[in-house]
Amino acid sequence: MNAPDPAATTASPPHASFAARAHVALADDGLRRKFRRAMDGLMTKRAAQFADTEAWASLRARGAAIRRRALARLPELLEQLEANCRKNGITVHWAETSAEADGIIEGILTRHGVRTIIKGKSMVSEEIHLNHFLGEHGIGAIESDLGEFVIQLAKETPSHIIMPCIHKSKEDVASLFEAKIDGQPYTEDVDVLTATARRVLREQFAAADAGLSGVNFAVAETGTLCLVENEGNGRLSTTLPPLHVAVMGIEKVVEQLEDVPPLLSLLTRSATGQTITTYVNFISGPRKTDEQDGPREVHLVLLDNGRSRIHGDLQLRETLACIRCGACMNHCPVYTRVGGHAYDAVYPGPIGKILTPQIEGLGKAGDLAHASSLCGACGEVCPVAIPIPDLLVRLRREASHAIPSSSVMGAGAQHSAVEDWIWRGWRWMYATPLFYRLATRMLRLIGNRLPASLPMLRDWTRVRAKPQFAPRSLHDLARDRGYHDE
């Protein structure tokens, strides 16, 4: 096997708007077919899991209550989690920024002489661009999740938070394995391809100096880290190497162990249509003296990266309730047509549209909040009832006009004085009958002669027909029929 490029999952972002990237994606018929087929399958499986609507509503309400309770007590629960993790022998680190998290993890690995780590799936490690950072410091990172392994070989970024290589067909994977894995012939047999990946990764598990994983839920009352997966790679990453580093966003904490089962049920059924995943790992510390396996050291890195700022706003705090199931993506009419790479963000789809602008700022990622039809499908399927459409509207408003005392980074970054004047003129016209009559008469006379390329019309007419003004107004037609100011 050719060694994966440690920087593979952090390709430089293209400097283009979401609209420009979406146009490129929409022109790729093959990509659209792959996403349509995959999303249809996921939606069908999820619907089968929640066929009993009353049971779904009850479970959803319970999950939503658990997440809100945890967020309401977040500072207190984080302190409790830290204390109980330390009692269990887990070393806890706090990182305010991505750079701090990278530095902490690199420091742990360097102190232990680590040259190669094996990784379980972790979106937070993608958020902090860990592979690229470690590569710059001479530490190789091997992705062990099958989907992450494929895209690392392809030097791409994930296109879905649950199924990172969902944009690839078996033919794509067959060609990739033939090109990147020594001695691997071209085959479209999925079982053979899976066995090949397993064989290659087993060698990496055995050779790795340390393992790194994400965390689905962290239980404050017991200091336990919960990790779900289907392939066994997470368990191997966290138990086989002598050193395990777990990294999580601070919002993943829950109050007590009994909160986990309902959240697990919502997570797996919403994400992949499974009643439960093949593996559910509960990690409560390093290997004890009388135990035969497990890591000798466990470190937990708690990442803030703007989450405290988001938590401070009662409405935007809803964003942090997310359990990363990806159901909102699977049901989003925008995501299913353009795929994940069009967002140029670690978290694509509806949850990414509200999370990324808050983490990176509206000046940098504010256009993502407009990548939605506001149909409401994301909010309807969210297993913890996050009002995603309401948050999108809030961020759109904040992007152009910052709310007083707003905590949103980059609020007002997309403010346009021209747009303000247009809306003032519109308000004045509709509030002044004489001006309204004059303006509508003028538009009827010259409106249809205005070129579609005018700045005011260009964006609209780029994908739509130019509006045509009727020769006579509704008021004129009403007066002809004898109606006068009724």
Side-chain angles (χ1 to χ4, degrees):
M1 171 192 174
N2 300 321
D5 179 357
T9 59
T10 56
S12 299
H15 298 290
S17 66
F18 171 80
R21 294 189 297 271
H23 274 290
V24 174
L26 289 171
D28 187 338
D29 292 337
L31 180 73
R32 294 183 63 182
R33 277 196 298 275
K34 292 172 194 171
F35 270 90
R36 183 73 273 167
R37 185 167 56 244
M39 297 301 109
D40 285 348
L42 289 169
M43 287 192 292
T44 301
K45 290 179 180 176
R46 177 195 169 277
Q49 286 290 335
F50 295 120
D52 185 334
T53 55
E54 288 188 11
W56 148 249
S58 174
L59 182 61
R60 185 192 200 205
R62 188 176 177 192
I66 290 170
R67 293 300 295 135
R68 270 61 175 191
R69 172 161 44 84
L71 291 174
R73 301 182 55 209
L74 185 62
E76 175 189 345
L77 293 183
L78 285 170
E79 291 180 2
Q80 186 182 6
L81 174 69
E82 179 185 23
N84 286 326
C85 282
R86 292 189 190 282
K87 286 180 186 174
N88 294 339
I90 299 174
T91 305
V92 179
H93 309 263
W94 297 85
E96 185 174 351
T97 64
S98 293
E100 278 190 25
D102 283 332
I104 289 169
I105 295 170
E106 188 271 331
I108 296 168
L109 300 179
T110 299
R111 286 195 297 277
H112 289 76
V114 171
R115 307 314 306 165
T116 306
I117 65 167
I118 191 82
K119 287 181 62 191
K121 195 170 185 316
S122 164
M123 290 308 296
V124 170
S125 75
E126 298 283 349
E127 179 182 329
I128 62 178
H129 305 297
L130 181 64
N131 289 10
H132 180 70
F133 181 84
L134 293 181
E136 290 181 335
H137 290 75
I139 299 174
I142 309 296
E143 298 286 352
S144 66
D145 174 86
L146 180 56
E148 294 277 359
F149 174 70
V150 169
I151 63 168
Q152 188 176 32
L153 284 180
K155 299 185 178 182
E156 295 177 358
T157 53
S159 58
H160 192 287
I161 63 172
I162 300 298
M163 288 148 289
C165 73
I166 201 168
H167 58 290
K168 289 198 173 299
S169 64
K170 63 180 179 182
E171 292 82 5
D172 296 332
V173 177
S175 298
L176 183 67
F177 277 22
E178 182 187 26
K180 298 287 186 178
I181 298 177
D182 295 335
Q184 174 65 23
Y186 181 90
T187 176
E188 296 177 9
D189 187 319
V190 175
D191 291 337
V192 173
L193 292 172
T194 304
T196 300
R198 181 179 293 119
R199 172 178 56 78
V200 172
L201 287 172
R202 289 281 171 167
E203 297 169 2
Q204 302 294 337
F205 281 118
D209 303 310
L212 186 137
S213 74
V215 177
N216 290 101
F217 306 107
V219 184
E221 76 167 352
T222 59
T224 304
L225 311 180
C226 177
L227 179 65
V228 299
E229 40 130 357
N230 276 314
E231 300 165 8
N233 63 300
R235 183 162 298 179
L236 284 171
S237 298
T238 57
T239 57
L240 192 57
L243 173 65
H244 171 213
V245 180
V247 56
M248 61 173 265
I250 58 173
E251 79 279 16
K252 293 293 185 70
V253 67
V254 296
E255 183 178 2
Q256 50 200 0
L257 202 56
E258 67 181 36
D259 289 339
V260 174
L263 292 177
L264 279 182
S265 182
L266 286 166
L267 172 61
T268 59
R269 294 161 79 183
S270 299
T272 56
Q274 294 173 279
T275 305
I276 192 67
T277 49
T278 308
Y279 294 87
V280 179
N281 305 289
F282 288 91
I283 302 165
S284 294
R287 178 195 306 190
K288 304 295 188 298
T289 53
D290 58 342
E291 293 177 338
Q292 298 297 313
D293 55 15
R296 298 189 183 280
E297 281 189 35
V298 177
H299 293 255
L300 173 63
V301 180
L302 294 163
L303 175 69
D304 188 314
N305 200 28
R307 288 165 172 80
S308 292
R309 174 168 36 81
I310 298 171
H311 184 265
D313 185 298
L314 289 179
Q315 184 185 23
L316 297 178
R317 177 186 295 181
E318 293 286 310
T319 309
L320 302 178
C322 178
I323 58 174
R324 303 288 191 272
C325 67
C328 59
M329 300 177 194
N330 306 342
H331 292 74
C332 175
V334 177
Y335 177 86
T336 54
R337 283 159 179 79
V338 303
H341 288 160
Y343 294 82
D344 189 28
V346 171
Y347 304 101
I351 188 61
K353 295 172 203 172
I354 58 173
L355 181 59
T356 305
Q358 294 186 70
I359 290 178
E360 298 186 359
L362 289 167
K364 182 178 180 182
D367 63 337
L368 292 183
H370 294 270
S372 169
S373 64
L374 297 180
C375 68
C378 51
E380 291 178 7
V381 300
C382 177
V384 289
I386 300 174
I388 295 175
D390 293 342
L391 301 184
L392 285 170
V393 172
R394 163 79 185 277
L395 292 173
R396 290 181 184 186
R397 187 166 64 245
E398 289 262 13
S400 58
H401 296 89
I403 294 174
S405 72
S406 171
S407 61
V408 181
M409 190 161 68
Q414 296 178 345
H415 174 256
S416 166
V418 173
E419 185 177 332
D420 279 357
W421 279 108
I422 290 172
W423 283 111
R424 286 194 188 103
W426 182 88
R427 184 175 60 188
W428 185 53
M429 185 179 79
Y430 277 82
T432 313
L434 175 60
F435 185 71
Y436 175 82
R437 286 194 292 274
L438 290 173
T440 53
R441 185 170 299 174
M442 185 66 69
L443 287 172
R444 288 200 303 275
L445 290 174
I446 66 170
N448 292 335
R449 300 175 190 172
L450 296 174
S453 58
L454 281 178
M456 297 294 298
L457 290 173
R458 190 165 48 220
D459 286 345
W460 179 269
T461 57
R462 186 162 44 83
V463 292
R464 304 175 184 87
K466 194 178 80 170
Q468 295 294 310
F469 291 94
R472 304 190 65 200
S473 71
L474 180 61
H475 286 173
D476 291 340
L477 296 173
R479 276 192 288 273
D480 288 349
R481 290 172 178 258
Y483 298 104
H484 299 281
D485 301 327
E486 283 89 351

